[in-house]
Amino acid sequence: MSRFAVIITFLILVLSLGAQAQSQNNFAGIPFGSSRETVIEEIMKKGYEPYGQTGIGERVVIPVYMFGELPVQVDFIFNKNDKFYAFEIRTGRVERARLGKTFEAVAYMSDQFTLKYGKASGNPAISELSSLKENVHNFYQEWFSVKTLNAYTAVVQKGNRYYAVGSVTHRLLATEAEKRNTREKAPEAAAF
């Protein structure tokens, strides 16, 4: 193979990996680090009506979003600087008799996460036969292949109801220090 062909192949590989990394750092084309206003605007462009739009620290929520074939609620979560740093998707709650549907949903979410974030760290950690802890995220699978993201799917039990959750958090934005107002207070009297 000629030197030129090797260089071209290397450049194509680097560009494709860069494009893949960019596609992992977003939800439905909305990149992590976007302002609240940008997130709301992009959601509305997609034809959804978000709620919970006011106040720093408040979530922006799409009550019904089609995550592939699965209807879910999506919560966009913002850091202290009002930047989009995480999202959670969750299914509706079902009773114990329909727990199998929750596990079908979490398996589907996991398949979608695998398509976007690569291979999961291991086989599913829980099943319908597992004893689930109440009011916590019982991890189903986790993804460690993207260094800047924490991604997992889980099943949650609240009372006698169950639902599936998928969560992705951008580590750097989650721990970003709050930007302070840098303007100094004007002196009340002349300094001389």
Side-chain angles (χ1 to χ4, degrees):
M1 191 180 238
S2 74
R3 180 181 250 176
F4 180 72
V6 170
I7 291 171
I8 295 296
T9 304
F10 178 74
L11 288 174
I12 291 171
L13 178 64
V14 167
L15 291 173
S16 67
L17 289 175
Q20 181 183 1
Q22 286 180 348
S23 72
Q24 293 173 334
N25 286 318
N26 69 63
F27 178 80
I30 303 171
F32 287 119
S34 296
S35 69
R36 178 181 303 276
E37 294 78 24
T38 301
V39 170
I40 291 169
E41 183 179 302
E42 291 299 318
I43 290 170
M44 293 178 84
K45 282 181 186 176
K46 295 178 185 314
Y48 295 99
E49 188 63 38
Y51 67 85
Q53 303 172 18
T54 59
I56 291 179
E58 294 291 320
R59 294 176 177 214
V60 172
V61 177
I62 302 174
V64 180
Y65 177 85
M66 290 307 294
F67 185 68
E69 298 175 12
L70 187 64
V72 295
Q73 174 181 309
V74 180
D75 289 19
F76 293 86
I77 306 168
F78 298 86
N79 66 15
K80 295 172 187 172
N81 296 318
D82 224 20
K83 290 182 184 175
F84 166 48
Y85 80 93
F87 67 86
E88 261 187 21
I89 56 175
R90 70 180 74 111
T91 62
R93 295 179 184 184
V94 297
E95 63 281 347
R96 176 86 176 148
R98 297 188 61 210
L99 179 59
K101 292 292 182 187
T102 300
F103 275 91
E104 286 176 21
V106 78
Y108 181 81
M109 277 184 198
S110 297
D111 290 344
Q112 296 301 308
F113 275 32
T114 297
L115 291 173
K116 186 157 184 160
Y117 303 115
K119 188 176 180 190
S121 64
N123 293 329
I126 58 172
S127 71
E128 289 181 59
L129 303 175
S130 301
S131 83
L132 302 174
K133 294 179 182 173
E134 195 164 346
N135 297 321
V136 299
H137 289 193
N138 297 280
F139 287 166
Y140 185 76
Q141 286 188 302
E142 295 179 272
W143 287 261
F144 299 120
S145 57
V146 182
K147 299 286 185 220
T148 59
L149 302 177
N150 289 335
Y152 67 86
T153 54
V155 173
V156 178
Q157 175 187 354
K158 285 200 176 196
N160 291 326
R161 296 202 172 268
Y162 303 85
Y163 60 95
V165 173
S167 178
V168 177
T169 302
H170 192 284
R171 289 184 193 132
L172 301 175
L173 289 169
T175 58
E176 183 178 64
E178 184 175 6
K179 291 182 183 172
R180 302 210 181 261
N181 190 352
T182 56
R183 280 199 264 162
E184 293 181 25
K185 187 177 177 182
E188 295 181 21
F192 55 91

